[in-house]
Amino acid sequence: MTLRLKPEIDQALTEFANSQGISKAQVAVNAIESYLEQQSTDAVTRKAFDLVLERDAELLRRLSDA
């Protein structure tokens, strides 16, 4: 896989990788894994929120009127 980055992003990535003592590829893998994990967590949270809104719609309506 080829990853094309703006020069300033590539420089920041290089500096970060060097400061961590790991390769730029490993920094990218770590970032992608973190992003995917967060997206998965966000999706579960959204589904739970939607379920509560649907299930407790009447209760939430009454609470907003209180």
Side-chain angles (χ1 to χ4, degrees):
M1 178 173 92
T2 300
L3 182 61
R4 290 176 178 69
L5 302 172
K6 294 178 184 178
E8 61 273 14
I9 299 296
D10 185 54
Q11 181 62 35
L13 179 61
T14 299
E15 291 171 8
F16 183 78
N18 289 339
S19 75
Q20 299 297 305
I22 59 178
S23 68
K24 292 187 334 183
Q26 189 58 55
V27 173
V29 168
N30 293 349
I32 292 166
E33 287 175 345
S34 178
Y35 175 80
L36 293 174
E37 182 178 309
Q38 183 61 49
Q39 292 305 306
S40 177
T41 300
D42 288 352
V44 169
T45 302
R46 279 191 300 275
K47 283 183 183 181
F49 183 75
D50 289 345
L51 174 66
V52 169
L53 284 179
E54 182 180 324
R55 183 190 66 199
D56 297 330
E58 177 60 23
L59 173 63
L60 293 169
R61 186 195 61 75
R62 289 191 318 223
L63 285 171
S64 70
D65 292 340

